[in-house]
Amino acid sequence: MKKIAESERTFTSDRPFVLLGQPSLFDPSRAPVGRHTAWAYCHVPNGSAEDYTESIERQITRFAPDFRDCILADPFPHPRRLRSGPKFDWR
């Protein structure tokens, strides 16, 4: 827990806490036939405008080495755009 709390304040860890889900395994309507979706959550410092994508993907590839080869699209905007722009439409 101490490492998780530290990563929430400073994000100095090279192994951040990442929660990853693959909802299309349980709900096939979440992706085209033969494809899958992944969802990730990571603790980052509150209010941070930095893009931590590289650190998060590096942590995922520790457990799923071919993860980056499977990424077809990343529709999620940079955190700064999320705060300043219109609401993100997932449809």
Side-chain angles (χ1 to χ4, degrees):
M1 290 302 288
K2 186 177 178 181
K3 286 185 179 185
I4 293 171
E6 178 66 17
S7 74
E8 289 176 342
R9 285 190 299 278
T10 63
F11 206 81
T12 57
S13 173
D14 61 342
R15 293 183 176 177
F17 171 81
V18 177
L19 178 65
L20 183 73
Q22 195 173 352
S24 55
L25 287 175
F26 307 98
D27 181 357
S29 70
R30 301 259 182 161
V33 175
R35 307 285 178 149
H36 287 282
T37 56
W39 172 90
Y41 172 82
C42 181
H43 288 283
V44 299
N46 186 29
S48 175
E50 266 191 67
D51 184 353
Y52 294 102
T53 303
E54 179 62 33
S55 298
I56 293 167
E57 287 183 2
R58 189 172 45 248
Q59 179 69 338
I60 294 169
T61 58
R62 284 183 59 221
F63 303 96
D66 297 328
F67 172 75
R68 287 185 178 151
D69 296 336
C70 297
I71 298 173
L72 300 178
D74 178 7
F76 198 75
H78 186 278
R80 188 173 296 144
R81 283 186 49 220
L82 271 177
R83 282 198 302 267
S84 64
K87 297 293 182 202
F88 191 70
D89 185 0
W90 288 96
R91 289 176 279 153

